[in-house]
Amino acid sequence: MKDVYLLSGFLGSGKTSLLAHIIEQFKAEGIKPAVIMNELGKLAFDSRAVDNEVPLKEMLEGCICCTGSEKMEAQLQMLLEGEDFDVLLIETTGAAHPVEAMDAVLSPLFANKLNMKGIITVADCKRWLDRDNMTPQTRMLFLEQIKHAHLIVANKIDLLTEEETLTVTMQIQALNDVAPIIQTSNSKLPIKLLKNMEATFHDKEVHEAAIGKQLTLSSRLHTFQEGLHQEEFEEWVRSLPDTVYRMKGYVPLKGHKNPFLFQYAYGMVQWLPEYMKMPPQIVIIGEQVDKLEIIGSGRND
């Protein structure tokens, strides 16, 4: 039996950082992990966090819970038959309801092969304080991901005051009084906490929040045709509506040979230099992203 951990959390909460930290710790102990990574868009940007030694299966365009159960079973089957690993880590898209995603894993096909250890939900503490500004649908999903967790990673506490940290912890505990809450910065979680997990499926009402149902999240892939000025691009980012939750990809900047890796989540921007010539594309995730006017372009999607 191979242990399985499901990593949940809203867009930009820090799931991929958590995944990278867990992989590093398992490998240091001689435990070989495998990964299934789910992306809402068409490009697998987050998979760069997984090194080449780790068996990896990717599911693009859609989430495990609402469009990919059969694909998920096929990926699991390929991993079990074709790869040598000890533990499986599944990172869901931020648009996935954790219980629906878990149900996709708990197929009778794998009853004697996989041991579901539980759901680890990464909760963005800064986002928690601003949750009332979210649309009702996205707020519901955000709360559901925390409500159904077996372990809660209260992330980004470095951005909070002590009073705010206490408030967030108490409020999250009131929503889910069963799961342990671990406060982190940059999702740094010791794996000894994972090893002690045993999924307990409580009798909780599950509210659907799948793409195309109550939650109207969608993704858009955009290709840049020319280089941009960084200041102008960031000004455009600041002008975006609150319904744009996440952007990630490679942005060509004037004066630089290769596009820069760019990430955006809830008003926070990150640039990293890229030393290979990557395709100048970004994935935009949010609501009604098809209506956005993108800087320096017509519609080149």
Side-chain angles (χ1 to χ4, degrees):
M1 295 280 283
K2 300 182 186 298
D3 288 341
V4 181
Y5 299 92
L6 195 148
L7 309 187
S8 175
F10 203 67
L11 299 160
S13 60
K15 293 188 302 299
T16 303
S17 296
L18 175 63
L19 176 67
H21 292 313
I22 292 174
I23 288 173
E24 182 181 3
Q25 292 177 77
F26 272 132
K27 290 176 66 177
E29 294 191 6
I31 299 170
K32 187 171 183 180
V35 173
I36 292 179
M37 184 173 284
N38 187 204
E39 294 269 20
L40 191 59
K42 297 180 181 179
L43 295 182
F45 293 114
D46 284 346
S47 62
R48 300 171 83 247
V50 181
D51 65 50
N52 293 331
E53 299 176 3
V54 177
L56 170 69
K57 299 295 181 183
E58 295 167 295
M59 296 177 62
L60 304 180
E61 293 192 86
C63 62
I64 292 168
C65 58
C66 52
T67 61
S69 293
E70 292 182 1
K71 289 183 182 179
M72 179 67 171
E73 289 187 5
Q75 300 282 30
L76 284 168
Q77 196 68 45
M78 284 189 287
L79 275 176
L80 288 167
E81 293 180 359
E83 301 288 354
D84 176 30
F85 66 95
D86 303 312
V87 61
L88 177 60
L89 305 168
I90 300 174
E91 180 188 338
T92 66
T93 171
H97 191 299
V99 174
E100 293 171 345
M102 185 174 61
D103 286 345
V105 179
L106 297 175
S107 165
L109 294 172
F110 313 117
N112 298 320
K113 300 177 182 178
L114 300 176
N115 174 39
M116 173 58 75
K117 293 283 282 185
I119 297 167
I120 305 166
T121 293
V122 184
D124 183 335
C125 292
K126 193 72 174 175
R127 188 63 179 169
W128 175 270
L129 293 174
D130 297 331
R131 65 191 182 282
D132 289 340
N133 294 324
M134 302 169 76
T135 63
Q137 294 88 353
T138 52
R139 183 170 62 249
M140 181 181 71
L141 175 61
F142 184 55
L143 298 179
E144 286 284 292
Q145 289 171 337
I146 295 170
K147 176 182 175 183
H148 295 282
H150 300 98
L151 177 65
I152 298 169
V153 179
N155 195 33
K156 305 185 184 180
I157 61 166
D158 52 311
L159 303 179
L160 274 57
T161 65
E162 288 187 14
E163 184 178 349
E164 287 174 332
T165 300
L166 179 61
T167 297
V168 169
T169 303
M170 292 179 63
Q171 290 176 344
I172 289 177
Q173 191 170 46
L175 182 66
N176 184 337
D177 60 359
V178 178
I181 302 173
I182 310 300
Q183 298 174 353
T184 66
S185 299
N186 199 29
S187 300
K188 292 184 177 178
L189 181 76
I191 60 168
K192 65 180 181 181
L193 297 173
L194 275 66
K195 294 177 180 179
N196 294 331
M197 288 177 64
E198 289 296 339
T200 303
F201 305 111
H202 306 283
D203 185 18
K204 297 180 180 179
E205 183 181 0
V206 176
H207 301 284
E208 287 189 349
I211 298 174
K213 297 182 182 178
Q214 292 100 327
L215 187 61
T216 56
L217 282 179
S218 60
S219 67
R220 174 176 168 186
L221 175 67
H222 176 77
T223 302
F224 294 101
Q225 302 300 316
E226 59 184 8
L228 303 168
H229 291 289
Q230 182 174 342
E231 295 80 6
E232 292 179 359
F233 185 80
E234 290 187 357
E235 185 177 345
W236 169 75
V237 170
R238 287 192 292 270
S239 73
L240 293 172
D242 293 339
T243 49
V244 174
Y245 305 120
R246 189 91 158 93
M247 288 191 290
K248 50 189 174 180
Y250 301 96
V251 178
L253 297 179
K254 290 185 182 296
H256 296 275
K257 180 180 178 182
N258 297 322
F260 271 58
L261 174 62
F262 170 79
Q263 297 202 59
Y264 166 86
Y266 309 115
M268 300 177 67
V269 168
Q270 181 183 44
W271 295 93
L272 291 172
E274 178 57 59
Y275 301 103
M276 297 177 60
K277 187 156 184 70
M278 304 300 290
Q281 297 177 313
I282 59 171
V283 170
I284 306 170
I285 301 172
E287 299 179 49
Q288 298 183 322
V289 294
D290 58 311
K291 297 180 180 179
L292 289 177
E293 291 293 333
I294 298 180
I295 185 172
S297 70
R299 290 295 299 269
N300 298 308
D301 302 84

